[in-house]
Amino acid sequence: MTGNALVARLDSAGDVLLAGPAVRAVAQSSARLTMLVGPRGRAAAQLLPGVDDIIEWQAPWVDFEHSPVTAESVHQLIKQVETLELDRALILTSFHQSPLPLALVLRMAAVPWIGAISEDYPGALLDLRHHVGGDPPEAERALSLATAAGYALPAGDHGRLEVRRPLPDVSTVTGDAPYIVVHPGAAVPARRMSVDRSRDLVRGLVAAGLRVLVTGTPGERDLTRDVAGDWATDLGGATDMFAMAAILAGARVLVAPNTGPAHLAAAVGTPVVSLFAPVVPADRWAPYGVPHRLLGRANAPCAGTRARECPVPGHPCLDTVTTEEVLAAIEQLTAHPDVRTDAGGTP
């Protein structure tokens, strides 16, 4: 297997980061690896070791923004894929998604071999129909497909999340260490604390003697300004993802909901206090390969609903998490100097 390969992951930045071990395995035995991603995943794909080229395409059956399905947009993707002269393609999906719409498009682009995890009967759309039992972490689920396709990680690669190195110098943005990062936002509103609770949390962390940097995307500047208040440093919209990786690499710990920066922190080896709403399974989506603490009410009525907007008044799964609980989790994760080199999940 030394030909040209494509790995597709059409979701958000966190999903793309979790595909990293599978991408490295495919890249190890490929002459050239192209990653097919959606617009929310492109910046993360640029960080992944092993990626040579990127194609961006907004899949109407995956993306939050439901763009119309048009013959023109599909034909444009087919033309792009045809120019790659691919030998193989792997389609990575979450457990609730079907790879078959994209498999059909890739067949139309004359891709000769396609593999995916699929519960649905694929007919002639897949050469490898892989099955995954149980409820493994998303990174392991994706890597299992690459393994089933005959790919293996490079010698010495332990299958954790990674980003390209070296990272940029962000000391002019962060100031002197030590600091912690609080990232209050998430693309799915049900997965984040309310603004008021996030603000109170940051104020409590600062009152406890911690220096806090509040991060967010350009679209979250109002949120980070409100949460940072007069107590913390507001970095909302101040960095791209590469610089964000460097900021997280220098942090003692990240406090964040189940969102892309939690996986980015895992990719640079930083412990995570995960404010995890149970709308999706923590077994699949908790920070992978780094010490972490899960906080949130796992038995809340929203558990397992995959709700985008909180269906329960008062958002009890996250807004009832106390500042004292967060401080205790930070203390547990930072009590030992070598905590960031621990290869496990929750110690």
Side-chain angles (χ1 to χ4, degrees), residues 199-200 202-203 206-207 210 212 225-233:
R199 182 190 305 115
D200 289 344
V202 167
R203 181 165 47 191
V206 172
L210 299 172
V212 178
R225 183 188 63 244
D226 290 345
V227 169
D230 296 327
W231 314 283
T233 301

Side-chain angles (χ1 to χ4, degrees), residues 99-194:
L100 300 185
L102 181 57
L104 175 60
V105 175
L106 296 180
R107 283 296 190 214
M108 295 171 68
V111 177
W113 191 97
I114 302 170
I117 299 169
S118 181
E119 295 301 320
D120 300 319
Y121 173 65
L125 294 180
L126 297 179
D127 299 280
L128 169 63
R129 180 192 182 190
H130 181 50
H131 292 275
V132 177
D135 205 27
E138 199 71 5
E140 294 178 12
R141 185 174 187 271
L143 182 59
S144 76
L145 173 61
T147 301
Y151 297 102
L153 287 166
D157 188 325
H158 298 290
R160 303 187 189 100
L161 307 190
E162 294 182 8
V163 296
R164 294 180 185 271
R165 305 278 182 160
L167 296 173
D169 180 359
V170 291
S171 58
T172 58
V173 176
T174 64
D176 295 333
Y179 61 86
I180 71 165
V181 173
V182 174
H183 188 92
V188 176
R191 299 183 193 176
R192 63 185 186 231
M193 282 182 164
S194 66

Side-chain angles (χ1 to χ4, degrees), residues 5 7 16 19-20 23-24 26-28 32-37 42 44-55 164:
V7 175
V16 172
V23 167
R24 298 196 304 273
V26 177
Q28 166 75 1
R32 193 162 192 83
L33 186 141
T34 300
M35 196 158 192
L36 172 60
V37 297
R42 185 184 186 97
Q46 292 171 333
L47 290 178
L48 292 185
V51 175
D52 297 303
D53 295 301
I54 297 171
I55 293 178
R164 294 180 185 271

